[in-house]
Amino acid sequence: MLGGCAVGPDYRTPLLPTPAQWSRTGVATAAPPALPRWWTRLRDPLLNQLVAEAVDGNLDVATASARVREARASYRQAVGALLPALAHSDSARLAKGTNFPSAAPGPNGTSGLYQAGLDASWELDLFGANRRASEAAGYGLDASEENLRAVLLTLVGDVASNYVQARGYQARIALARRTAQSQDETTEITRGRLAVGTSSAADLANATGQAATTRAAIPALEGAYAEAVHRLSVLTGRPPVALSDRMARLRPIPVPKLPVPVGIPADVLSARPDVRLAERRYAQSTARIGQAEAALYPSVSLTGTIATSGTKLGDLGKSSSISWSLGPTLTVPIFNGGKLRAAVEIAQAQRDQQFLAYQASVLVALKDVEDALVSLSSERSRSRMLATSTTAYRQAASLSQSLYRSGSSSFLDVLTAERALHGAENALLQSRVRIVTDYIALNKALGGGWDGNLDVLSPTVIDVGIAPHPDAAIAVQDFAL
């Protein structure tokens, strides 16, 4: 009878159907995903440092770590309800004029009564209310840990994405400056040809305007670069300009190692922390049904008390009276207006919501991987075509410059070739950034996050002066009415 039974449904991990393979295999392999520290395969030491610094300093990670500590404490609290409770109590009372029973008055007409005792209680948990509560708390602890992993996954991906965006803006700024310098040289050639009468004033105006247009794009690119660096700094838990000096040195856009091993769709269910988080919340809501159903049944508690009392403090150990009591307490719900049954129905509806949320998380995870595979495949094809066009436009620009210097070509040919070359090179740089961004998105979709050590036990706020001390005076401020 003491063991009892646990009412309510027992949790079973749901088995959801998944496709046998991914639709895109041209940019991926069927080997298991290589998720641990995937960002290191971009081969950028500064990026690796920034990821580690972000894990240590990011405020969202610190908040998620605090939730883990809260969930652990809640779990210990729920487990503590399964064990007996024991309390010690002491009391001392003095009275004058009215004596306590069996207490002789003192010299001033006062009498005293001193008591000491122990109180014990234990809920037998016959129908598993406390066990279901501890089970739900355990699932809640798992959920908080998966939430922390999800925050870390998002953080690592955001750090890598903003870093790549910043390097892309740097490359585009450098390209604009090189192009503007080349166009300045063309302008000087045109000015010289105008002086000898082999070129027109319109050609000089077009050349000057083209160089100015190219330079006009630089401030916008510099602003976008600064915003990316600011976002990156905040992700590491620092002020927005903290990384400006470290990022100022020009570095190439990282190049990922392709193809990416993606495994099979079923791997996502065990690798994605958001999917595991939804599954743990579903398990937690299932346990809460049993907790609500147990309230429909009788509850039994064992309570016991032993106390000693005396008229003098020294009598508690020798001449005191001893009393004790021990017995069960039975509580049977008879009428409650349907509140307890409604609580069960609420728990069941919440369980259904969590199950649907779990199904939705699986579908979103599969969609994220498919989207990343499609984007990566399409962008790689686009980048190859852009590389071909850039090479062709570079040759055309070089030939047109040579012909223009020798007087065998018009300035319009040079202007057209320079515009086409700058557009192709700029598009190629943006495409390279998108390839890396898609690579990052694919690793995030597969569930790749931080897998290193992380301190979740140390509190963020360290209290000082917590020893017992007199309360400080309360300052009262008068407000004029």
Side-chain angles (χ1 to χ4, degrees):
M1 184 181 68
L2 293 179
C5 59
V7 298
D10 293 328
Y11 176 71
R12 295 289 185 272
T13 303
L15 299 177
L16 300 182
T18 57
Q21 61 183 8
W22 302 108
S23 61
R24 293 281 181 136
T25 58
V27 294
T29 64
L35 300 179
R37 301 184 64 81
W38 56 265
W39 57 92
T40 61
R41 287 187 284 278
L42 292 173
R43 298 181 294 276
D44 193 308
L46 181 56
L47 173 59
N48 299 340
Q49 295 174 16
L50 293 178
V51 169
E53 292 171 10
V55 171
D56 291 336
N58 184 263
L59 300 183
D60 290 337
V61 173
T63 301
S65 299
R67 292 196 180 105
V68 172
R69 293 196 299 273
E70 178 187 4
R72 288 181 178 180
S74 298
Y75 177 69
R76 293 196 303 269
Q77 188 179 46
V79 172
L82 297 171
L83 304 176
L86 185 64
H88 173 70
S89 61
D90 294 309
S91 65
R93 288 178 289 173
L94 296 175
K96 184 177 183 180
T98 302
N99 296 336
F100 292 114
S102 68
N108 297 324
T110 61
S111 58
L113 180 64
Y114 300 90
Q115 290 182 320
L118 292 174
D119 298 323
S121 63
W122 184 25
E123 184 178 352
L124 298 185
D125 198 29
L126 295 179
F127 297 97
N130 292 336
R131 276 171 286 166
R132 290 300 191 190
S134 63
E135 181 182 346
Y139 291 137
L141 174 57
D142 294 340
S144 67
E145 292 174 345
E146 296 300 339
N147 177 69
L148 174 58
R149 295 188 182 97
V151 171
L152 288 167
L153 181 148
T154 301
L155 173 64
V156 171
D158 288 348
V159 169
S161 296
N162 282 281
Y163 181 84
V164 171
Q165 291 289 337
R167 294 308 183 196
Y169 287 126
Q170 280 185 327
R172 293 173 64 190
I173 291 170
L175 171 64
R177 288 172 176 167
R178 290 195 307 271
T179 303
Q181 183 178 1
S182 175
Q183 290 169 347
D184 286 341
E185 295 174 358
T186 303
T187 302
E188 292 302 320
I189 295 174
T190 305
R191 182 175 287 109
R193 289 171 61 89
L194 177 63
V196 297
T198 58
S199 184
S200 66
D203 290 342
L204 179 60
N206 282 327
T208 304
Q210 178 67 17
T213 299
T214 302
R215 278 196 170 86
I218 295 177
L221 293 173
E222 290 176 337
Y225 164 75
E227 291 175 1
V229 174
H230 295 166
R231 290 192 299 268
L232 194 58
S233 299
V234 172
L235 287 172
T236 62
R238 298 184 178 96
V241 296
L243 296 178
S244 297
D245 293 339
R246 295 172 66 184
M247 291 291 295
R249 180 183 175 187
L250 185 63
R251 289 176 180 264
I253 300 172
V255 179
K257 183 179 180 181
L258 300 174
V260 181
V262 295
I264 59 175
D267 294 334
V268 175
L269 304 187
S270 59
R272 287 265 297 226
D274 58 333
V275 174
R276 298 199 303 261
L277 170 61
E279 186 268 335
R280 292 289 88 182
R281 285 176 175 169
Y282 169 49
Q284 184 180 36
S285 63
T286 302
R288 285 173 175 165
I289 295 177
Q291 185 180 0
E293 286 188 1
L296 299 171
Y297 297 91
S299 62
V300 179
S301 299
L302 291 178
T303 58
T305 302
I306 182 171
T308 177
S309 61
T311 58
K312 297 180 181 180
L313 186 60
D315 291 343
L316 292 179
K318 50 183 180 180
S319 302
S320 59
S321 61
I322 298 177
S323 61
W324 60 271
S325 64
L326 177 66
T329 299
L330 176 66
T331 302
V332 181
I334 297 177
F335 177 76
N336 49 66
K339 292 191 299 181
L340 298 181
R341 177 55 63 183
V344 175
E345 295 175 359
I346 290 173
Q348 291 172 337
Q350 291 173 342
R351 186 266 312 271
D352 292 347
Q353 295 172 47
Q354 295 298 334
F355 177 65
L356 294 173
Y358 171 61
Q359 287 183 307
S361 69
V362 172
L363 294 178
V364 169
L366 298 176
K367 171 187 171 296
D368 289 345
V369 177
E370 292 284 8
D371 288 349
L373 287 172
V374 170
S375 297
L376 184 57
S377 175
S378 301
E379 197 58 45
R380 290 183 69 191
S381 298
R382 178 173 177 268
S383 183
R384 286 191 291 268
M385 290 183 285
L386 285 173
T388 301
S389 68
T390 299
T391 301
Y393 283 131
R394 187 175 291 113
Q395 293 175 350
S398 178
L399 289 173
S400 63
Q401 284 279 3
S402 299
L403 293 174
Y404 182 63
R405 286 189 178 94
S406 63
S408 302
S409 175
S410 67
F411 177 74
L412 181 61
D413 295 335
V414 176
L415 185 64
T416 302
E418 287 183 343
R419 285 177 179 174
L421 176 59
H422 177 67
E425 289 181 330
N426 191 56
L428 181 58
L429 289 176
Q430 294 182 63
S431 179
R432 289 174 179 173
V433 171
R434 290 194 186 100
I435 287 177
V436 189
T437 303
D438 291 337
Y439 169 82
I440 294 169
L442 178 56
N443 280 278
K444 287 176 59 180
L446 293 171
W450 180 258
D451 59 345
N453 296 327
L454 185 65
D455 180 17
V456 298
L457 299 179
S458 300
T460 303
V461 179
I462 306 299
D463 295 316
V464 296
I466 58 176
H469 55 78
D471 288 339
I474 300 177
V476 179
Q477 183 176 0
D478 295 329
F479 294 91
L481 300 177

